[in-house]
Amino acid sequence: MINNDETKDKIELDEYNSFIMNVGVYDGKRYIVPLSYGMDVLVSTQERLKQFNVSGNNGETLTYSNVSVKFSPFFNSATNYSFVSNDSDTGLWFDHPMQLFSRFINSYIDFDNKSTFFTDDEFKDNLDIMREMVINTREDNSNALFDDLYINRSLPLITGKYAYYKSIGETPVVFRGLVKSDDIYSAFLEIGFAINNNTKLQEQAYAFIKYALSDDCQMRICGAKGNSLSASISFPLNNKAYEQLKYTASRVTDDDDRIIGIDNDFISTYMKIADYVNQCTLYRDASHSYYNSSVIGDIVDKYLSGDISKEKFIRQLTAATEIYLTE
């Protein structure tokens, strides 16, 4: 439909973030058109980290292998802090620690080539700390070391968040991760579109997708046309909207009407992470994907609750995943 479109407002693919756009392409065919994306980042403050003798620089990568060493003072201490903020105890649907755990599991699967790596020493070693992270976060802790698993806010809103941290005397720091290796700048698709091939409304659906990818719509959803709580989607696909987004963020003011700017280390690092994205997953909410909820959900729950051993968990996880990949 894109190739055959001869109208003035046709989708020109070179006007969009090519890396994120290609997430929906399989075997040379486009099945999904992304609308927006966010980055896998964790945000804390230097002051919180220092309570546990943890140091952190903006842009530092947290991997499954280094987090157990870097945050050992945190995991080895009795504290009223969770690792990440957790919504599950309030009945909300987005369970931050389970997102981390689900993405951890998924990173040791090659879905395209139908292979698993659950028996690797690296997976076995990292599994312990990831379970500890979930258990620690699900306890009734009043504070969180990291405010959110993913900061799903537009750049203008995160600029305002920076001003808030500074107003309470804290210095924010943004980490990349959690990821498998330190060369990964990971992102996730927030919203995407696909048209059912059997629908009688293909033209109407395609017209809507064109509108969603237009300069105007893309600028509105990311906050490039003004800073508002409703403009909460992180980053647009449209290159023009992305550039306008940076300008709008640079003009955000604090409560005293002073321009905050984007030339501080925190915001400039946040933007750099977006610029260098080189890996993107289809799911923001990985734990509710079919594989993670229906195929291995019960096995994971039993392991996290202590009903089965680590060894039995790996055996059952491997068997269930291999059946799923084969079918």
Side-chain angles (χ1 to χ4, degrees):
M1 297 186 79
I2 293 175
N3 292 338
N4 295 331
D5 188 352
E6 297 181 352
T7 62
K8 292 181 179 179
D9 62 343
K10 70 172 296 183
I11 297 174
E12 300 287 355
L13 294 176
D14 58 356
E15 295 178 356
Y16 301 88
N17 183 315
S18 60
F19 185 88
I20 305 297
M21 287 292 280
N22 286 335
V23 171
V25 176
Y26 299 89
D27 296 327
K29 296 180 180 180
R30 184 175 303 279
Y31 290 92
I32 297 170
V33 177
L35 172 68
S36 64
Y37 67 100
M39 289 90 64
D40 294 333
V41 296
L42 292 162
V43 174
S44 185
T45 67
Q46 296 288 6
E47 289 72 22
R48 285 184 223 171
L49 295 174
K50 286 178 181 177
Q51 294 184 49
F52 303 99
N53 297 316
V54 176
S55 61
N57 298 315
N58 280 311
E60 190 173 340
T61 309
L62 297 182
T63 67
Y64 302 123
S65 297
N66 71 24
V67 71
S68 60
V69 176
K70 188 173 185 64
F71 289 91
S72 59
F74 171 80
F75 286 112
N76 292 330
S77 65
T79 175
N80 65 339
Y81 274 77
S82 296
F83 186 71
V84 293
S85 60
N86 184 25
D87 290 336
S88 62
D89 58 350
T90 63
L92 298 179
W93 64 274
F94 197 73
D95 187 337
H96 288 149
M98 279 309 298
Q99 300 310 312
L100 282 176
F101 194 81
S102 296
R103 286 169 181 265
F104 165 68
I105 295 291
N106 295 356
S107 67
Y108 286 88
I109 306 171
D110 184 343
F111 288 97
D112 292 331
N113 296 307
K114 300 180 175 58
S115 302
T116 64
F117 305 92
F118 300 136
T119 58
D120 290 5
D121 289 339
E122 178 184 308
F123 177 80
K124 294 178 181 178
D125 293 341
N126 295 334
L127 181 59
D128 294 324
I129 195 64
M130 293 303 296
R131 180 177 184 272
E132 181 69 22
M133 180 275 299
V134 174
I135 294 173
N136 171 281
T137 301
R138 284 183 164 175
E139 293 177 354
D140 187 19
N141 295 328
S142 58
N143 301 296
L145 190 60
F146 293 100
D147 279 345
D148 291 285
L149 173 53
Y150 311 120
I151 301 293
N152 295 310
R153 298 185 178 95
S154 65
L155 191 54
L157 287 178
I158 202 67
T159 303
K161 186 70 172 179
Y162 168 80
Y164 166 75
Y165 282 123
K166 300 300 289 185
S167 71
I168 62 174
E170 296 192 16
T171 305
V173 56
V174 55
F175 292 88
R176 286 192 287 128
L178 287 169
V179 289
K180 195 172 183 181
S181 62
D182 60 10
D183 60 344
I184 294 176
Y185 287 73
S186 182
F188 56 91
L189 198 63
E190 286 189 320
I191 299 174
F193 301 114
I195 302 175
N196 190 322
N197 192 53
N198 295 323
T199 184
K200 298 178 180 179
L201 303 173
Q202 287 191 11
E203 295 295 334
Q204 292 90 330
Y206 178 60
F208 175 74
I209 289 177
K210 286 205 295 182
Y211 166 72
L213 292 179
S214 67
D215 295 354
D216 182 68
C217 185
Q218 287 273 296
M219 287 185 186
R220 291 184 186 280
I221 63 173
C222 70
K225 280 202 170 183
N227 185 16
S228 68
L229 293 177
S230 61
S232 59
I233 296 176
S234 294
F235 286 91
L237 276 295
N238 186 298
N239 294 331
K240 186 182 294 185
Y242 185 52
E243 292 305 314
Q244 178 64 35
L245 175 66
K246 294 179 181 178
Y247 174 76
T248 302
S250 71
R251 308 304 297 173
V252 172
T253 58
D254 61 17
D255 292 339
D256 297 319
D257 289 329
R258 293 173 298 192
I259 292 178
I260 301 167
I262 58 175
D263 55 351
N264 58 77
D265 188 37
F266 176 75
I267 297 298
S268 61
T269 301
Y270 193 87
M271 291 168 55
K272 182 179 178 181
I273 294 173
D275 289 339
Y276 289 171
V277 163
N278 58 13
Q279 179 173 298
C280 187
T281 61
L282 282 175
Y283 297 107
R284 172 182 183 262
D285 181 16
S287 67
H288 286 92
S289 69
Y290 175 78
Y291 167 72
N292 292 97
S293 63
S294 299
V295 177
I296 65 170
D298 290 343
I299 301 171
V300 170
D301 289 342
K302 289 178 182 178
Y303 171 65
L304 293 177
S305 63
D307 291 341
I308 58 176
S309 67
K310 176 180 178 179
E311 292 72 22
K312 188 172 184 179
F313 170 66
I314 292 175
R315 289 198 302 270
Q316 292 186 359
L317 180 66
T318 302
T321 304
E322 289 180 347
I323 292 173
Y324 167 74
L325 293 174
T326 300
E327 292 180 348

